[in-house]
Amino acid sequence: MSKKYEKLAQDIVEKVGGSENVSTLTHCMTRLRFALNDNSKADQNALKSFDGVIDAIESGGQFQVVIGTHVEDVYKEVIKHLKPNMSSSEEPTDARKVSVLGKLIDFISGTFSPIVPAIAGAGMIKAVLALLILFKWISKDSQTYYVVSLMSDAIFYFLPFLLAYSAANKLKCSPVLALVLAGILLHPNLTQLRLDGNAVSVFGIPLTLVSYSSSVVPILLIVWSQSYIESMFKKIIPNAVKIIFVPMCTILVAGILALTVLGPLGSFFGTYLAMGFDLLGAHGSWLVIFLVATFWPILVMFGLHHNIVPLSIAQITTSGYENILGPGAMINCIGQGVAALVVGMRTKDKALKQISASSGITALMGITEPALYGVNLPKRYPLVAGMIGAAIGGLYAGVMDVSRYATGASGIPAIPLYIGENIWNLYNILIALVITTVVTAALTYLLSLKYEKDLPAQNPVASTDEVSAVPDEVIAIKDSVITTPIKGQIIPLQDVQDAAFAAEAMGKGIAIEPSEGKVIAPFDGKIVSLFPKKHAMGLLSDEGVEILIHVGLNTVKLNGKYFEAFVEEGQRITKGQTLITFDLEKIRQEGYVTQTPIIVTNSYSYSDVIPETSQQNVDFVNTLLVVKA
């Protein structure tokens, strides 16, 4: 079967920089995972353009080529084109050298990503308050405003706690000790010492007393130092007393270092960062908004958009407003969403109409990846139209100095974030969105007259034999109900922290944050693929539904640790039968995201795949997906 992928394999090796550029190669359930000697030699755009390649992503220290559930067949052909001494073991490696800047960016973005939803939620509370005041339903002097406002402000005041926990998980040191160090910075007694204004020292070392509430840089420096200090004490302290003396020594040494050197240094840096924001706002904010609005899709494609989030949060905590990310990203979402919707109205491809409609609406709500990967990027002309429309809207917003006063969503729901003292700030963002909508819609329509003319029906994501778990078996397709294979909390697929899954590149579906480490059969059928690391499997129901269950993200790196499989590839299964068990807490302690995508990999064979939305938590007996023939 793998022979038909020989040409694809040859092209992939060529575009990752040739055999000599490949240090190691492994594969998981859906993607080839390369460790390259030099990532700059890989032609990411060329790889994405190949028939049979869904996406190409640089993530987790690896260069990943997303293939689909038939990845093993492609893998067998790829290794034939690699040098004989290249490692192709199943154990991934991060042996390639990463620059200091690359490590810093990875640390900062990896620290902020987990806390962004909480910050966005608090920001949206501020937006609700702004609406209530605007319509005079409450006043700023009311107790309701006072209490709800402190709810939204709490996350910013105690931001060092959230950053401490997240940074410690990223650096693989103790999150609890990191929280203790954050507590030292925000302790009321330290605050009182600062307010008293007297000189303070510890062991004769003078302290520079500054305010650490809402700060960002100090705690990042402190947890970074903790990772080395804690590791050092773990090596030198005997095992019999580690449980007591490692925490004691880490808190004492890191705490003193925090108060005497790192905390004040971080505060000093933060002060000048705030001055930089003020300078940018006075002389160049219009250019930033224009550039972000125009090139946001490019940032998303290269995964660079997450790196702007820390600057956005730092600006809102130091200046009280934000215009680095918010206005430009919001205008872009509208542009890409409108472009996708116009494609849906113009195309003759029924499957593309459906994808365009759903992904276009999702983009208007602030999530552009489904529209970007599923419609605009494959078609190209809507991507260009959306970028031009966003550029013109962004230019207007920049010239009018539009800002938002809280962080939150990037689509239509974020409009209340722009309500402030000057009501024209709200009017100007609305005008910018109208400009973007009109220009994008007109330009997409005009381009569609050329590019949608006499086009044959096509699947913009993948052909049947590219994603099917069992391409050689033909089963009559009919309506099916898929019950829940794993207990936990429902997560919309677009919210999964993996671009390929979130963009529905491998099919429609849903995800679950597990509450129990067990996967059961959601139907009668058979196991068509079981990855050796036991973290993922492909199932085929007797009714013809092919699903992929992928426990966690990047959990292939665990090399099967914490997983146990109770079935084999090709085995018949019955509904309710235990398929896999896994140690949920230990996987989380290792720092892995445990979101579990459940994908209908032959979605293209059905008219619709409807995920469960009526309840937040699901049990084994609940309906998860309804598949319409």
Side-chain angles (χ1 to χ4, degrees), residues 332-599:
N332 161 79
C333 289
I334 301 305
Q336 294 301 314
V338 169
L341 290 173
V342 173
V343 171
M345 291 186 289
R346 291 287 300 149
T347 185
K348 297 177 182 179
D349 187 329
K350 292 183 179 179
L352 183 57
K353 277 183 179 292
Q354 186 176 8
I355 294 173
S356 299
S358 60
S359 64
I361 294 171
T362 301
L364 296 181
M365 295 299 108
I367 306 295
T368 59
E369 280 85 347
L372 187 60
Y373 289 117
V375 181
N376 297 356
L377 184 58
K379 286 283 186 181
R380 290 184 175 83
Y381 79 85
L383 172 65
V384 173
M387 290 176 67
I388 293 174
I392 298 174
L395 181 61
Y396 175 85
V399 171
M400 302 310 295
D401 198 24
V402 171
S403 299
R404 61 177 180 174
Y405 299 103
T407 57
S410 293
I412 291 174
I415 290 175
L417 299 176
Y418 294 81
I419 300 174
E421 298 274 338
N422 183 0
I423 195 64
W424 269 100
N425 189 69
L426 173 63
Y427 295 158
N428 283 327
I429 189 64
L430 292 175
I431 293 171
L433 297 182
V434 171
I435 292 172
T436 301
T437 300
V438 173
V439 174
T440 300
L443 192 54
T444 307
Y445 178 81
L446 291 174
L447 291 173
S448 73
L449 296 176
K450 175 182 178 180
Y451 291 103
E452 293 297 334
K453 186 177 181 180
D454 299 327
L455 282 181
Q458 56 182 307
N459 187 328
V461 176
S463 62
T464 300
D465 65 343
E466 285 172 350
V467 296
S468 173
V470 223
D472 298 329
E473 185 168 350
V474 179
I475 299 176
I477 299 298
K478 55 184 178 180
D479 290 356
S480 300
V481 174
I482 310 300
T483 56
T484 305
I486 186 168
K487 290 182 180 179
Q489 182 178 355
I490 289 289
I491 301 174
L493 198 58
Q494 63 265 26
D495 292 343
V496 172
Q497 298 174 34
D498 181 281
F501 285 123
E504 298 183 348
M506 285 168 283
K508 297 181 179 182
I510 202 166
I512 295 176
E513 180 61 55
S515 60
E516 180 180 327
K518 182 168 75 170
V519 179
I520 69 167
F523 45 58
D524 294 338
K526 72 175 183 178
I527 307 291
V528 293
S529 56
L530 175 63
F531 194 68
K533 305 307 178 188
K534 307 168 191 173
H535 70 292
M537 58 170 49
L539 312 179
L540 173 66
S541 78
D542 289 342
E543 297 175 327
V545 181
E546 301 167 14
I547 69 168
L548 166 68
I549 302 175
H550 196 291
V551 180
L553 305 180
N554 287 319
T555 45
V556 64
K557 292 184 179 182
L558 288 170
N559 199 30
K561 187 167 61 169
Y562 311 133
F563 290 92
E564 184 175 359
F566 296 88
V567 289
E568 298 177 352
E569 198 167 291
Q571 178 180 330
R572 283 285 305 171
I573 55 174
T574 57
K575 185 174 180 179
Q577 178 181 349
T578 299
L579 306 180
I580 298 174
T581 58
F582 53 95
D583 194 320
L584 184 60
E585 291 308 315
K586 287 186 178 178
I587 293 173
R588 287 172 176 165
Q589 288 171 12
E590 292 270 3
Y592 289 89
V593 176
T594 52
Q595 294 175 346
T596 300
I598 300 160
I599 308 296

Side-chain angles (χ1 to χ4, degrees), residues 181 184-185 212 218 222 225 253-265:
L181 295 173
I184 292 172
L185 299 184
Y212 294 108
I222 292 165
S225 72
V253 174
I256 292 175
L257 186 64
L259 293 175
T260 57
V261 179
L262 297 180
L265 178 64

Side-chain angles (χ1 to χ4, degrees), residues 45-94:
N45 290 331
L47 285 163
K48 292 179 180 181
S49 70
F50 292 150
D51 289 336
V53 173
I54 297 173
D55 202 357
I57 304 167
E58 186 179 347
S59 176
Q62 298 174 330
F63 194 88
Q64 304 174 12
V65 181
V66 184
I67 302 294
T69 52
H70 61 293
V71 64
E72 186 173 0
D73 295 324
V74 179
Y75 169 82
K76 290 176 182 177
E77 287 299 314
V78 170
I79 59 175
K80 294 178 183 178
H81 297 277
L82 299 178
K83 57 191 178 185
N85 61 340
M86 194 248 7
S87 170
S88 61
S89 67
E90 297 293 348
E91 177 63 28
T93 178
D94 292 329

